[in-house]
């Protein structure tokens, strides 16, 4: 057990206490952020004449070496240290001697960990955003290829009206686009630097917080030191955004699982993205989609845990806050894996367009359009609704589609029907004429696809 704070203690920490208290086993993930933050801190201390140039140079050199040694695995992060901050400081002192003991001047682990966590989350917000962009590219490709792939659209899991695959996939494009804009907001809101807040009440050293903030790429310093060391809103916001991403992925997975079932057969998973059964040789299971759906619970769990951990914490830092890490890290890893795997699965799955179209032809998906036909011929909508209702009942008894009836049979139910009805309620007309903004009509879909292309391109340019 090696600690930074032995002075006022007369006994060693009990081993169980040390183990319960330590965070090195998981906060070692923050080692690059910790070093980056320490370098900015000492560069500022030198500028403010708190450290000499020689001391600053020795510390920066020592920290840079530690970083290299960890990265090339000559140094393992482990040992009897309480956390990553103690580990790096102890190692630095070992390496460069007395100058290393000055690194922590005007700083507390409270503002140090607040900074490390912010730097880490800020980076991960970008990584998740980039993964989502790759997913959107795949979705846009599927959309472009399927603006005339007809399929049934559902409400209440009942066939409702015909749509296209491009339209269906476009709904998810919108969801993930919103997810990205949420990440963008989080980034902007969290991009303020807590370093220099000290333990809770700032410090009497002449720190230049604006300077460290700018060295670390922040908009500026945070404005209340008590809040700075105990704010984990950005973790919560990120977990909420990750949960929403998982909710979207999970809905999509649920649909893919249904579409992949023998009954639907709308989609087939690539062999590389499915698994077999140990007993049933015929099986090809959509495990990836099921796992993504399943892992959603775990990410929601992290959000609820974090909210619960934070809810009773008085100002300012309390050790409860060390619990922010494991669950946040796990959620980030989980979501990144899920987006990556989902993207690969979506990119390789094959759609069975003839099955989709056949399914859209059955199930009276053109009933609304049949009612609209009567309305266009002058019948009030409520009456038309009732006529078509009776028509559907007749078809169910006859076990056929509306389009299969003869004009004589149609006229028997309402003499408003004329021969042009067949064209008006054909699957093609039902889809192609839906041209309001956001509707599945292929000509309107093309405009939306154009907007999406511009959206993705603009990002690449910026
Ligand atoms: N390991 C601690 C954490 O993750 C670092 C901050 C420790 N601060 C303290 N006052 N004990 O929160």
């Amino acid at each position: 057990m090696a600690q930074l704070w032995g002075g006022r203690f007369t006994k060693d920490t009990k081993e169980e206490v040390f183990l319960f208290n330590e965070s090195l086993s998981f906060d070692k993930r923050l080692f690059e952020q910790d070093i980056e933050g320490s370098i900015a801190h000492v560069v500022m201390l030198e500028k403010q004449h708190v450290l000499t140039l020689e001391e600053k140079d020795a510390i920066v050199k020592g920290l840079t070496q530690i970083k290299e040694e960890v990265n090339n695995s000559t140094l393992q992060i482990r040992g009897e240290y309480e956390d990553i901050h103690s580990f790096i400081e102890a190692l630095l002192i070992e390496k460069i001697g007395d100058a290393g003991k000055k690194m922590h001047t005007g700083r507390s682990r409270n503002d140090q960990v607040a900074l490390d966590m912010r730097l880490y989350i800020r980076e991960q917000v970008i990584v998740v955003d980039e993964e989502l962009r790759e997913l959107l590219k795949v979705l846009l490709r599927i959309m472009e290829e399927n603006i005339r792939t007809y399929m049934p659209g559902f409400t209440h899991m009942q066939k409702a009206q015909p749509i296209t695959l491009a339209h269906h996939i476009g709904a998810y494009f919108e969801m993930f686009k919103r997810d990205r804009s949420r990440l963008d907001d989080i980034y902007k809101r969290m991009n303020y630097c807590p370093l220099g807040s000290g333990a809770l009440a700032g410090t009497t050293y002449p720190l230049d917080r604006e300077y460290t903030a700018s060295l670390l790429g922040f908009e500026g310093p945070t404005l209340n030191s008590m809040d700075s060391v105990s704010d984990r809103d950005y973790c919560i916001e990120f977990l909420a955004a990750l949960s929403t991403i998982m909710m979207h992925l999970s809905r999509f997975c649920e649909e893919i699982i249904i579409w992949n079932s023998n009954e639907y057969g709308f989609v087939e998973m690539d062999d590389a993205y499915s698994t077999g059964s140990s007993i049933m040789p015929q099986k090809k299971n959509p495990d990836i989609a099921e796992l993504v759906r399943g892992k959603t619970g775990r990410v929601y769990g992290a959000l609820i845990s974090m909210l619960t951990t934070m809810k009773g914490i008085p100002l300012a830092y309390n050790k409860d806050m060390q619990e922010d890490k494991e669950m946040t890290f796990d959620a980030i890893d989980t979501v990144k894996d899920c987006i990556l795997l989902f993207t690969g699965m979506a990119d390789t799955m094959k759609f069975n367009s003839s099955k989709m179209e056949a399914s859209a032809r059955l199930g009276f998906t053109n009933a609304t359009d049949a009612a609209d036909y009567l309305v266009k011929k002058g019948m009030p909508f409520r009456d038309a609704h009732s006529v078509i209702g009776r028509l559907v009942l007749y078809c169910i008894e006859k076990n056929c589609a509306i389009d299969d009836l003869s004009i004589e049979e149609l006229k028997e139910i309402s003499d408003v029907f004329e021969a042009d009805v067949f064209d008006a309620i054909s699957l093609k007309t039902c889809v192609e004429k839906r041209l309001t903004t956001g509707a599945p009509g292929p000509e309107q879909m093309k405009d939306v696809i154009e907007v999406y292309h511009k959206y993705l391109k603009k990002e690449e340019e910026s």
Side-chain angles (χ1 to χ4, degrees), residues 268-452:
E268 196 190 333
M269 302 302 178
D270 192 79
D271 279 1
Y273 282 89
S274 25
T275 48
S277 154
S278 60
I279 176 169
M280 297 165 282
Q282 84 282 13
K283 288 282 252 350
K284 190 168 152 188
N285 297 328
D287 286 29
I288 299 304
E290 289 170 13
L291 269 174
V292 172
R293 188 178 57 182
K295 284 177 190 291
T296 305
R298 180 165 162 172
V299 177
Y300 291 2
L303 171 62
I304 298 299
S305 299
M306 188 73 194
L307 283 166
T308 312
T309 294
M310 291 303 295
K311 89 177 186 46
I313 303 188
L315 287 174
Y317 178 85
N318 294 259
K319 196 62 177 257
D320 320 38
M321 294 169 75
Q322 179 166 289
E323 283 296 301
D324 61 355
K325 293 178 195 62
E326 284 161 289
M327 49 200 170
T328 307
F329 294 162
D330 181 72
I332 293 171
D333 293 347
T334 303
V335 174
K336 286 196 299 192
D337 279 355
C338 286
I339 304 174
L340 216 63
L341 268 291
F342 184 92
T343 303
M345 178 183 77
D347 199 24
T348 51
M349 58 194 188
K350 296 268 170 305
F351 293 95
N352 188 333
S353 51
S354 51
K355 273 223 164 143
M356 286 180 156
E357 182 167 337
S359 170
R361 282 184 193 287
L362 300 172
F364 308 105
T365 59
N366 56 359
T368 315
D369 293 84
D372 288 343
Y373 168 86
L374 295 175
V375 171
K376 281 174 199 151
K377 298 267 174 192
M379 191 183 283
F381 180 76
R382 203 39 66 209
D383 294 338
H385 187 284
S386 157
V387 168
I388 302 300
R390 275 181 280 130
L391 196 64
V392 166
L393 210 56
Y394 178 77
C395 289
I396 290 171
E397 270 162 31
K398 250 194 107 180
N399 193 20
C400 67
I402 302 177
D403 328 40
D404 296 333
L405 299 177
S406 66
I407 186 67
E408 291 73 29
E409 283 172 301
L410 288 168
K411 274 191 175 300
E412 222 154 273
I413 291 173
S414 166
D415 58 11
V416 179
F417 284 118
E418 287 170 55
D420 61 353
V421 65
F422 296 105
D423 186 47
I425 64 167
S426 77
L427 187 57
K428 187 164 183 289
T429 312
C430 290
V431 176
E432 311 254 335
K433 291 270 167 70
R434 290 192 140 70
L435 291 171
T436 42
T437 303
E443 290 312 315
Q444 118 75 29
M445 257 340 300
K446 278 187 198 162
D447 293 345
V448 170
I449 286 173
E450 196 47 44
V451 172
Y452 290 170

Side-chain angles (χ1 to χ4, degrees), residues 151-298:
M151 67 180 286
F154 297 84
T155 61
H156 314 272
M157 277 294 280
Q158 316 263 342
K159 285 181 196 175
Q161 289 174 349
I163 54 161
T164 65
L165 180 58
H167 191 239
H168 199 118
I169 299 290
Y172 287 99
F173 194 103
E174 284 291 322
M175 293 181 224
F176 296 121
K177 185 153 75 74
R178 278 199 298 279
D179 287 329
R180 297 188 68 206
S181 83
R182 252 183 288 278
L183 294 175
D184 210 39
D185 289 346
I186 293 170
Y187 190 100
K188 286 194 195 109
R189 200 164 21 256
M190 72 173 289
N191 200 22
Y192 292 87
C193 185
L195 190 62
S197 299
L200 76 161
T203 167
T204 54
Y205 291 100
L207 304 188
D208 184 346
R209 294 195 55 214
E210 279 72 14
Y211 183 61
T212 29
S214 80
L215 287 179
L216 293 164
F218 287 104
E219 274 300 304
T222 52
L223 295 184
N224 182 292
S225 58
M226 299 260 275
D227 176 50
S228 307
V229 292
S230 62
D231 166 29
R232 295 294 182 273
D233 287 7
Y234 57 94
C235 294
I236 292 172
E237 286 193 40
F238 190 36
L239 288 172
L242 294 179
S243 296
T244 310
I245 293 170
M246 288 305 289
M247 180 268 291
H248 292 151
L249 284 175
S250 185
R251 289 181 71 182
F252 208 162
C253 283
E254 171 73 7
E255 300 215 85
I256 290 169
I257 292 162
I258 293 170
W259 292 354
N260 179 67
S261 68
N262 305 128
E263 283 69 19
Y264 277 72
F266 284 5
V267 73
E268 196 190 333
M269 302 302 178
D270 192 79
D271 279 1
Y273 282 89
S274 25
T275 48
S277 154
S278 60
I279 176 169
M280 297 165 282
Q282 84 282 13
K283 288 282 252 350
K284 190 168 152 188
N285 297 328
D287 286 29
I288 299 304
E290 289 170 13
L291 269 174
V292 172
R293 188 178 57 182
K295 284 177 190 291
T296 305
R298 180 165 162 172

